[in-house]
Amino acid sequence: RWRADGRALRKLPVHVGLVVTEEEPSYADMASLVVWCMAVGISYVSVYDHNGIFKRNNSRLMDEILKQQQELLGLDCSKYTVEFANQDKTGQVLNCQSTLKVLSPEDGKADIVKAAQNFCQLVAQQQRTHSDLDVNMLDNLLSSTNGFPDPDLVLKFGPVDSTLGFLPWHIRLTEIISLPSHLNISYEDFFSALHHYAACEQRWGK
């Protein structure tokens, strides 16, 4: 069913951000969302909560993802493996088809500040001039999304009408869909959001 659902959509996001604005993040429900993303063919997934709980406990989240893979995909789970791509975790790679990053507020505005400081140092060392700074240069200096495309779609869970600092530089053209909660979310709710995204006409700021 997963592959058929992915192929049935007129367009499928390459990178989906899963943003939790609720106070109590659920590892089991987030793991289900990640596995569903992988199963329908989404290549990049970012998980974010504004308290950094998932990032601080990323090994617990990975364990839950592996468990959910086995439960939801069964014998087929070897086709749906994930790379855990956090900068501070090395070697935790599982045969990679989809790539997962777990982010916290320090990967947002703080990462932009750090990138600006690094660029200023390059100018001070005369390795760059101030006129070299453009969109591509800043993209390259940002470490939190190194190797990741900008998110096509953000699924925001919870009552807060804000993404609470999730990758502020990268979501200027991102479609944002709000859902009431990630707690006990069903596959039908998830796929309905993907279907809504597929039907959107994106005007790219025009």
Side-chain angles (χ1 to χ4, degrees):
R1 176 185 178 184
W2 320 100
R3 287 190 292 271
D5 282 349
R7 287 195 299 266
L9 294 170
R10 188 165 62 88
K11 61 180 177 179
L12 189 68
V14 174
H15 178 187
V16 169
L18 304 172
V19 176
V20 174
T21 67
E22 297 163 278
E23 291 304 315
E24 292 295 329
S26 163
Y27 292 90
D29 291 310
M30 182 52 67
S32 294
L33 285 159
V34 170
V35 173
W36 293 337
C37 286
M38 294 158 53
V40 298
I42 293 166
S43 299
Y44 300 92
V45 182
S46 296
V47 171
Y48 176 90
D49 70 280
H50 65 287
N51 291 317
I53 295 171
F54 285 130
K55 188 171 184 178
R56 286 196 302 275
N57 301 282
N58 49 23
S59 59
R60 180 178 170 187
L61 180 61
M62 176 56 81
D63 290 343
E64 190 64 46
I65 289 170
L66 292 173
K67 176 184 168 188
Q68 294 280 349
Q69 279 184 298
Q70 192 63 49
E71 290 179 0
L72 297 174
L73 304 175
L75 295 175
D76 215 20
C77 71
S78 62
K79 296 180 183 177
Y80 303 101
T81 47
V82 58
E83 177 184 350
F84 207 68
N86 275 24
Q87 300 296 317
D88 57 347
K89 296 287 282 185
T90 57
Q92 198 167 12
V93 177
L94 309 174
N95 300 321
C96 177
Q97 186 180 63
S98 296
T99 308
L100 171 70
K101 282 197 177 184
V102 183
L103 304 172
S104 66
E106 69 194 44
D107 300 303
K109 292 180 181 178
D111 195 34
I112 295 173
V113 171
K114 186 168 65 175
Q117 290 171 338
N118 290 341
F119 180 77
C120 290
Q121 286 179 345
L122 292 173
V123 172
Q125 295 163 4
Q126 298 186 335
Q127 296 179 33
R128 293 284 180 183
T129 68
H130 69 277
S131 59
D132 290 333
L133 185 60
D134 58 16
V135 170
N136 291 330
M137 171 66 72
L138 185 54
D139 280 338
N140 291 333
L141 289 168
L142 293 170
S143 62
S144 59
T145 53
N146 189 26
F148 264 50
D150 289 351
D152 308 285
L153 171 65
V154 164
L155 300 181
K156 183 193 71 66
F157 304 98
V160 180
D161 193 19
S162 168
T163 56
L164 295 179
F166 173 75
L167 298 180
W169 171 257
H170 302 85
I171 59 172
R172 53 199 183 277
L173 299 176
T174 300
E175 191 71 31
I176 299 173
I177 295 175
S178 295
L179 296 165
S181 176
H182 74 304
L183 302 175
N184 301 314
I185 190 167
S186 69
Y187 175 75
E188 286 68 28
D189 291 334
F190 165 77
F191 186 70
S192 176
L194 291 186
H195 195 272
H196 179 79
Y197 166 79
C200 285
E201 180 186 351
Q202 291 172 290
R203 298 179 179 273
W204 311 115
K206 296 177 182 176

